[in-house]
């Protein structure tokens, strides 16, 4: 089998494309993409699903319940738009503890889990991982080699985001891949980190699967089974 045939075979066997890292406005203040546009953008690119990973932070200017309603509203609007268009939208999150600028993606999460997680944010990632159990979820450090970020102990992680294709940040992909390899990280992810229109960075990374999971826990299960491919640049297949 030649390389071209192999690539075509892999793409055919893993036909579903899912964005793993995307942000909408206003839940993520840094994003310029409203929920309807997010769903339309990925549907038009031929994606089958996307994980909405809005920034989840401590908010000193809101009560917790108010913040949860605000945070979840973007997901619900994106999910509803996706249903109308035929795009599966999964709830994910990108959390930051108050100790530093490190950020972590969670695949397999619910609103009630986020309500619990919120109370751990002031106490750091080590405390969180020691005391909050998520057996059906996947906990990944996002872009760990980016400026102002520091890779945490691999024992705290289920995986690492090796391919982050945000155009404004140097993700140091090679160093991140080396970190994953040296520490025998069995789960690696790829995400466009989509925030901004008109920069052509939507859909630059994807997870490819053999089936479309029903919810974000089904997606986490695919990671745990290690039965997936990654894609960057809208067509380059990567075997994790």
């Amino acid at each position: 089998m030649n390389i071209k045939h192999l690539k075509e075979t892999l793409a055919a066997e893993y036909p579903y494309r899912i964005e793993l890292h995307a942000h909408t406005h206003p839940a993520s203040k840094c994003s310029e993409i409203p929920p309807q546009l997010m769903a339309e953008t990925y549907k038009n690119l031929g994606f089958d699903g996307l994980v909405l990973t809005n920034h989840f932070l401590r908010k000193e200017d809101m009560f917790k319940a108010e913040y949860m309603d605000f945070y979840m509203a973007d997901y619900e609007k994106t999910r509803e738009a996706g249903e109308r268009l035929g795009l599966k939208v999964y709830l994910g999150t990108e959390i930051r503890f108050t100790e530093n600028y490190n950020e972590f993606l969670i695949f397999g999460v619910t609103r009630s889990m986020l309500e619990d997680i919120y109370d751990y944010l002031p106490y750091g990632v080590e405390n969180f991982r020691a005391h909050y159990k998520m057996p059906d979820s996947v906990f990944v450090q996002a872009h760990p080699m980016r400026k102002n970020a520091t890779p945490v102990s691999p024992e705290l992680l289920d995986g690492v985001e090796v391919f982050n294709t945000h155009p404004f940040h140097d993700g140091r992909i090679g160093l991140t891949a080396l970190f994953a390899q040296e520490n025998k990280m069995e789960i690696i992810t790829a995400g466009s980190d989509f925030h901004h229109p008109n920069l052509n960075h939507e859909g630059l990374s994807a997870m490819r699967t053999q089936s479309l999971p029903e919810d974000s826990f089904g997606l986490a299960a695919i990671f745990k089974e290690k039965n997936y491919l990654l894609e960057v640049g809208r067509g380059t297949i990567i075997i994790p």
Side-chain angles (χ1 to χ4, degrees):
M1 181 183 296
N2 62 34
I3 293 297
K4 181 180 179 181
H5 187 204
L6 176 59
K7 289 180 179 178
E8 291 172 348
T9 299
L10 288 172
E13 290 186 1
Y14 292 80
Y16 296 97
R17 293 192 298 157
I18 303 170
E19 171 65 68
L20 296 175
H21 194 158
H23 298 268
T24 51
H25 182 85
S28 290
K29 185 171 65 174
C30 52
S31 174
E32 299 174 301
I33 313 296
Q36 179 72 30
L37 179 59
M38 177 65 74
E40 291 173 354
T41 296
Y42 276 87
K43 179 62 177 179
N44 291 339
L45 283 172
F47 273 64
D48 303 282
L50 71 88
V51 187
L52 200 61
T53 54
N54 280 320
H55 295 289
F56 192 68
L57 312 166
R58 290 288 292 193
K59 296 289 285 187
E60 302 303 328
D61 58 342
M62 289 185 182
F63 292 111
K64 177 180 172 180
E66 180 186 7
Y67 176 58
M68 289 304 310
D69 289 343
F70 169 76
Y71 185 84
M72 291 297 298
D74 269 29
Y75 165 68
E76 293 297 342
K77 291 175 182 177
T78 310
R79 181 185 60 79
E80 290 167 2
E83 286 182 353
R84 292 192 296 270
L85 294 168
L87 178 79
K88 193 80 171 178
V89 178
Y90 305 96
L91 178 62
T93 191
E94 184 172 21
I95 67 174
R96 181 191 296 171
F97 300 92
T98 57
E99 60 185 352
N100 54 38
Y101 289 101
N102 288 338
E103 294 180 304
F104 304 90
L105 299 166
I106 301 177
F107 304 104
V109 70
T110 62
R111 174 175 177 144
S112 62
M113 289 174 64
L114 288 171
E115 290 172 348
D116 294 337
I117 291 167
Y118 186 85
D119 295 329
Y120 283 92
L121 296 181
Y123 304 108
V125 64
E126 291 189 20
N127 176 75
F128 174 70
R129 292 297 275 166
H131 295 101
Y132 191 72
K133 305 306 178 185
M134 301 185 295
D136 299 318
S137 305
V138 169
F139 185 76
V140 169
Q141 185 168 6
H143 43 71
M145 296 297 179
R146 184 183 286 182
K147 184 179 179 181
N148 296 325
T150 304
V152 302
S153 172
E155 288 75 20
L156 299 173
L157 303 171
D158 299 316
V160 63
E161 184 186 48
V162 169
F163 300 94
N164 181 287
T165 53
H166 193 298
F168 290 168
H169 298 282
D170 181 2
R172 299 180 171 94
I173 289 173
L175 290 175
T176 311
L178 182 62
F179 171 77
Q181 180 181 11
E182 290 179 340
N183 291 285
K184 298 179 172 59
M185 306 298 296
E186 295 189 346
I187 294 174
I188 68 170
T189 74
S192 303
D193 207 352
F194 180 46
H195 287 72
H196 309 289
N198 305 317
L199 293 179
N200 199 33
H201 81 111
E202 58 272 23
L204 284 185
S205 298
M207 176 191 201
R208 295 190 72 119
T209 62
Q210 291 183 312
S211 61
L212 196 60
E214 284 299 313
D215 56 27
S216 64
F217 292 99
L219 186 143
I222 291 173
F223 276 126
K224 291 173 182 286
E225 293 162 2
K226 304 172 187 65
N227 186 27
Y228 65 97
L229 301 174
L230 298 175
E231 177 181 306
V232 295
R234 303 185 195 136
T236 300
I237 301 293
I238 296 170
I239 302 174

